[in-house]
Each structure stands twice: as structure tokens, then as C-alpha cells.
Amino acid sequence: MKLFLLLSFSALMLLEAYKFTDETDKKSLLEFKAQVSEGRRSVLSSWNNSSPLCNWTGVTCGRKHKRVTGLDIGGLQLGGVISPSIGNLSFLISLNLENNSFGGTIPQEVGNLFRLQHLFMGFNYLEGTIPAGLYNCSRLLTIDLFSNFIGQNVGSEVGSLTELVVLDLGLNKLNGKLPTSLGNLTSLRELGLGDNNIEGGIPDDMARLAQMVNFDLSVNSFSSVFPPVVYNWSSLEYLNIFRNGFSGNLRPTFGNLLPNLRGLYIGNNSLTGAIPTTLPNISTLQDLRMEVNGLVGSIPPGFGKLRNLQSISLHSNFLGSNFSGDLDFLDALTNCTQLQSISVANNTLGGDLPTSISNLSINLMELTLQMNFISGSISRDIGNLISLQSLWRDTIFYRKHYSLYVENNKLSGTLPLEILKIVRLVVLSISDNYLTGFLPKDIGRLENLVMLYVEHNKLSGKLPETLGKCFSMEELQLQGNFFEGTIPDISGLVGVKEVDFSNNYLSGSIPIYFANFNSLENLNLSINNFEGKVPTEGKFKNATIVSVFGNKNLCGGVLELKLSPCLSQELEKRAKHSSLSKKVVTGVGLRCCEESPVSRLAMSEAVKELISIRESFFRSRRRAAR
């Protein structure tokens, strides 16, 4: 019986090879090309009747029958739609159309490719649903449809693809709940469902996926307890359930059950309880992200054992006790020589900032401690962190910033000059503390500084002239201090967007060069001692981005600022340099009596104007004297 089936199958294969030839494949690919957007067909210029099929761009042929076994045209920026003729490439094993601009739907005819093992269609604009015919391709090892617009739910039919090793449907428009049939995919090593709108919990049947290495459910609407099926996957290296609604506690044995984790991303959920003390047992751990949850208790000092640790993010929880000893874990982290990022902001950590902070890894690129109850002063040895950076993740790309965040604490003392050693510093944020003293006069050495936040401290003195050398500056927040004197020449900061000097004791005139800052979005000079005329050119025409209230001696400007009008230059000159006295005014009055009624009226108005000028002049002098 087995021999009969084998012979029958061989006969079927020969019949198919006879029925479909390389000419059939050629015709199918030319029909495919015809559906490619006209402006990009030139990329497939080798696809023509005069060239051998197996020499066409992206085409791989089998040795025996010279049939198309592979089609790799990924990344060619092709547009148009995918022709149903693709289903006639019956010897196709691998199909790669990723990173193009194909629209429309995935043709049902893909289901005819029963030899297909690898399907890559990610990074396109495909819509509709996963075609039911695809589930007939039982030899599939890889399905990658990442970053498209495929909707509806993950069909239960997916459980029939029992050979699957990789299933990536992330960044689509999938919804509904996960089917229990996913538990049939016992060969699965990577499951990517991130950035969809899938809800509910994780089926218990998925506990059978014991070979799982990469599990990504991030940015969905899951709402169950932390999935217990995960604890059965001892081979797991990357667990990403970021930004969902998972709740409950992590098991105390967490670190023993998942000994091979490299990346743990469970931030932005509703997890509670303490950080398992067994977590530091995961010697392979590189990235630990547990931010924005409801975690309580202390931060295990055992993290110092993780010699491969590169980043640790625990911000926005309830960690710490607002007492000394909460920062002991920083001492332990000095052993983590690969560490690049530490973020423990917005917790209840207390105690003095340890001097050992300067002994952290020379590779440290981000340190955020803001919004805690940390006290003490900033060590002069902070300058040893010469590689200090901050890695900010955007939705599309990564941007590197060199930064120090210690705002919203109880730090006191002065800002150490040694901070100027961190010459690559881009973000310096020390706001909302109790720091005193001056801004360093050589702050211009931080020529890469983009954001300077020192607001709401007790800093004083004049602003350093070298501030104008920070040519990369975009945000300058100095409000709520005791700075005095005039604004130094910062006319070179033409890329600045936010400038806030409010609530200080700054004086002098408002620099006209602000009018030419094309990127300026907010200029706040309110509650100071500025005087003179407010410019009306350039950016000053837009009262919605300029604030000058609380400066008693300012005048003019655009009407929306509601300031008193300024004296004209001529009248002001007359007011300041005139030797008019009360006797002179009286004399003028006597002479006017001898004139005609018309002249008398004109002279009377002139006298009133002179008196008004004189009174305005002396009022301004008295205010300035105060």
C-alpha cells in the first residue's frame, strides 16, 4: 500500500512537471510584472522574453526542472498589487515581497503554492484578511506579514500549520481573541502579534509551545493576569508584553523558571507586588523594562550580578520607602560594566545620592533619578561619567542624546563644575530641587547642549556670557530662580524653540534678536524687571508665543500684549532734557492769555502735553529707583 501511494505521488509530480513548465512560470511572472506600478517596472527590466528565466532579477530556479523555486524581490520599492498569477509558480519554496509598497489584498491563489515554506510580505500596504487558502500550505515554516493593514482576527485555521517556526503578524489591524488552536504550533519559536488590537487572555493551550524563543504581544488590549503559560517556556529569550492590561504579581521563582531571558519588556501594564528576588539569577539578562506598573518594595541589590545587563528601566512605580538605603542598588550596579541606561524616576526612593554613582559603568548613557525623595548634594565626581547619554525611542527611529536627569528631588548644594567635563552632554535636567549658587561661567563648553532645565531652584547671579556658545540649544528653561542682570548675548542660538526666563530678577531691555529666531515657539519673560519698548518685529508679532506680563516698566509692543504706549523719541527727548519748571509753565500760560482765542487754546493743549510728559518722566524715575 505504501509503495502504491509513493508511486502515485511520483506520477502526480511528473504530471505536474509536464503540465506546468518554465514557460508557465515565465508567463506568470510577466503577468505579475504587469501589475507592478508603471513607474517601478524598470527595476524588473530583465524580466523579458529574450532573457533566460533563471537570470531574471530575484529569480532562483531548481537544478532539475529549471522551475522557479525562489522569488526574492524584497526592498525594491515596487508598488501596485500582487497578481493572482503568483499562484501558478507551483514549485515555489520561498516568496519574498517584503519592504515594498504593494497594496490590495493577498491573493487567494497563494494557497495553491503547496510547496511553499517561507512567505515574506512585511512592510507593505496589504489590506483585507489572511486568505483562507494560505492555511492549505501545510509546509510553511515562516509567515511574516509584519507592518501591513490586515484586519479581523487570527483565524483558528492557523492551528493547521503545525510546521510553523515563525509567525509574525505584528503592526496590523488584528482584533478579537487568540484562538486556542495556537497551542498546536508546537514547533513555533517566534510569535509576533505586537501593535494590534487583540484582547482577552492567553489560551492555556499555548503552554505546549515549549520551544518559544521570542514572544511579542506588545501594544494590544490584553487584560488577563500575567500569562502563566510563559513559565513553561524555559527556552524563552525575549518576552515583550509592553503596554497592555496584564495584572497580578510575578511569581517569586520567576528568575529560576526563565533562565535564558535576554530581554524582559513588561512595562506599561497593571502588574503589582514586589520585584522577584530571583530575577538577578537570569545571568543572560541584557534589557529589563518594568516601568509604569504598580510594583512595590525595594529594588533587589542582586542586579549587580548581571554582568551582561545593558539597560534597566523601573520608573513610574512605587519602589522604595522614602528612607535611606533605597539607593543601595546603585552601589551594586557598579559591577555591571556593560550598563548603558538606568531609569528609576517617579518612585518613592529616598536617602542621599550615593557618591558611588560616579563609579557606574563608563558606558553609561542614561541616568534618570527625577521625581523621588533623593537628598544630599551632587558629587564632584559626577564628571567621571564622560559617556553619559540618553537613548530616546521614537516610533520610527532611534535618537541618541547625552543627558543627566535628576529633577524633582530634594538635592541641595551647588552644581559641581566637574559636570563641564561631560562635554558631549545634550540634556541637563536639574529642575525642581534646592540647588544654590551660579550657573557655571564656562557652561559654553557644553557646546552640544540641546536642553537645559534648571528651573525652580535657588540659583542666582548673572547668566553666563558663554551661554551664547551653546549653538545647539533648543530648550532653555531658567524660570523660578534668582537670576539677575541683563540677558547675555545669545543671538547665536537661532535654533532655539523654548525660552523661559520668567520669575527671576532679570533687567534691561528685551533683546531684539529674539524676533529673528525662526524656530521660536515660546518666549516667556514675565515677572522680571525688564524695561523699555517691547519689539514688534518678527516673532514678537505673535502674542500667543510671547509673554511679558509682570514687568512694570515695559511699554509698546503689539496690541494683544496690552501694554501702555511708549513716548515717541522726540517727546521723550523733550521730557528728559527740558529745563521746564513750574515758573516756565506759568509764563507760557501768561503769554497765552495775550494771544487770540485760537492761539490760546492751542497753547493750552501744549501746556497740558508738557505737564503730562513731565509727570510721566518723573513717575518712571521713581519706579526705577525702587
Side-chain angles (χ1 to χ4, degrees), residues 544-608:
T544 62
I545 68 172
V546 177
S547 179
V548 295
F549 74 89
N551 290 276
K552 295 180 181 180
N553 296 326
L554 287 178
C555 62
V558 296
L559 293 177
E560 290 84 351
L561 294 178
K562 299 180 180 179
L563 296 173
S564 300
C566 295
L567 301 175
S568 69
Q569 291 182 351
E570 182 60 29
L571 292 178
E572 191 175 46
K573 183 178 179 181
R574 289 168 59 188
K576 290 183 177 180
H577 300 288
S578 174
S579 60
L580 287 174
S581 63
K582 194 170 183 180
K583 178 179 179 181
V584 173
V585 172
T586 305
V588 172
L590 288 173
R591 284 201 302 273
C592 78
C593 297
E594 301 170 359
E595 304 294 335
S596 66
V598 176
S599 299
R600 192 181 307 123
L601 177 62
M603 291 301 291
S604 176
E605 293 299 323
V607 170
K608 289 180 180 178

Side-chain angles (χ1 to χ4, degrees), residues 30-41:
L30 289 175
E31 290 177 359
F32 179 94
K33 178 181 176 180
Q35 295 299 311
V36 172
S37 54
E38 188 172 354
R40 297 298 299 169
R41 288 178 197 165

Side-chain angles (χ1 to χ4, degrees), residues 224-228 231 246-254 266 270-276 290 294-296:
S224 66
V225 297
F226 181 87
Y231 295 119
F246 290 110
S247 58
N249 299 356
L250 300 178
R251 289 184 184 176
T253 54
F254 188 99
I266 59 177
S270 299
L271 300 173
T272 53
I275 298 175
M290 307 177 75
L295 300 174
V296 297

Side-chain angles (χ1 to χ4, degrees), residues 178-399:
L178 294 181
T180 57
S181 61
L182 280 172
N184 298 336
L185 309 182
T186 53
S187 297
L188 203 62
R189 293 173 59 85
E190 296 186 24
L191 177 60
L193 298 171
D195 289 272
N196 282 287
N197 195 32
I198 305 172
E199 58 188 10
I202 312 302
D204 293 339
D205 299 59
M206 291 179 63
R208 292 185 287 159
L209 309 185
Q211 298 188 55
M212 188 68 70
V213 173
N214 190 347
F215 187 59
D216 184 358
L217 303 181
S218 60
V219 194
N220 274 284
S221 300
F222 291 103
S223 57
S224 66
V225 297
F226 181 87
V229 299
V230 169
Y231 295 119
N232 294 288
W233 302 340
S234 59
S235 58
L236 197 63
E237 294 182 8
Y238 296 94
L239 172 60
N240 190 352
I241 60 171
F242 173 79
R243 194 176 294 172
N244 278 284
F246 290 110
S247 58
N249 299 356
L250 300 178
R251 289 184 184 176
T253 54
F254 188 99
N256 299 331
L257 297 172
L258 300 172
N260 294 300
L261 276 181
R262 296 179 184 273
L264 177 60
Y265 311 95
I266 59 177
N268 286 71
N269 280 282
S270 299
L271 300 173
T272 53
I275 298 175
T277 55
T278 57
L279 256 181
N281 294 342
I282 309 175
S283 60
T284 54
L285 197 60
Q286 296 176 349
D287 296 305
L288 175 61
R289 302 293 301 269
M290 307 177 75
E291 70 274 15
V292 194
N293 279 290
L295 300 174
V296 297
S298 60
I299 299 175
F303 283 135
K305 297 187 300 183
L306 302 178
R307 300 304 175 91
N308 296 306
L309 194 63
Q310 297 179 12
S311 69
I312 177 170
S313 180
L314 304 173
H315 71 81
S316 304
N317 280 285
F318 300 97
L319 298 168
S321 60
N322 192 12
F323 294 111
S324 60
D326 287 345
L327 300 178
D328 289 347
F329 73 96
L330 286 175
D331 287 323
L333 290 179
T334 58
N335 296 320
C336 303
T337 57
Q338 303 300 315
L339 198 58
Q340 300 176 23
S341 174
I342 303 173
S343 179
V344 292
N346 196 17
N347 278 287
T348 57
L349 300 171
D352 289 350
L353 191 65
T355 56
S356 61
I357 193 173
S358 59
N359 297 325
L360 290 169
S361 170
I362 194 172
N363 297 308
L364 193 66
M365 297 190 296
E366 178 186 15
L367 176 61
T368 60
L369 305 172
Q370 68 266 33
M371 299 183 72
N372 279 288
F373 299 93
I374 302 171
S375 55
S377 59
I378 301 176
S379 169
R380 293 180 179 273
D381 293 333
I382 194 72
N384 294 340
L385 302 179
I386 57 174
S387 296
L388 198 63
Q389 302 177 17
S390 169
L391 189 62
W392 283 5
R393 177 169 293 183
D394 291 335
T395 55
I396 300 175
F397 59 91
Y398 291 99
R399 297 191 305 171

Side-chain angles (χ1 to χ4, degrees), residues 82-100:
I82 301 173
S83 171
S85 65
I86 199 75
N88 295 329
L89 302 175
S90 55
F91 274 71
L92 201 62
I93 295 174
S94 177
L95 174 59
N96 183 4
L97 305 179
E98 69 181 2
N99 198 18
N100 283 291

Side-chain angles (χ1 to χ4, degrees), residues 172-183:
N172 277 284
K173 293 187 175 181
L174 298 171
N175 52 37
K177 298 181 178 181
L178 294 181
T180 57
S181 61
L182 280 172

Side-chain angles (χ1 to χ4, degrees), residues 51 174 240 320 331 379 433 460 462 479 481 499 504 516 541 565 577 591:
S51 300
L174 298 171
N240 190 352
D331 287 323
S379 169
N433 278 287
S460 58
K462 294 184 177 181
Q479 67 270 27
N481 282 286
V499 178
N504 279 288
N516 301 320
K541 294 178 181 178
H577 300 288
R591 284 201 302 273

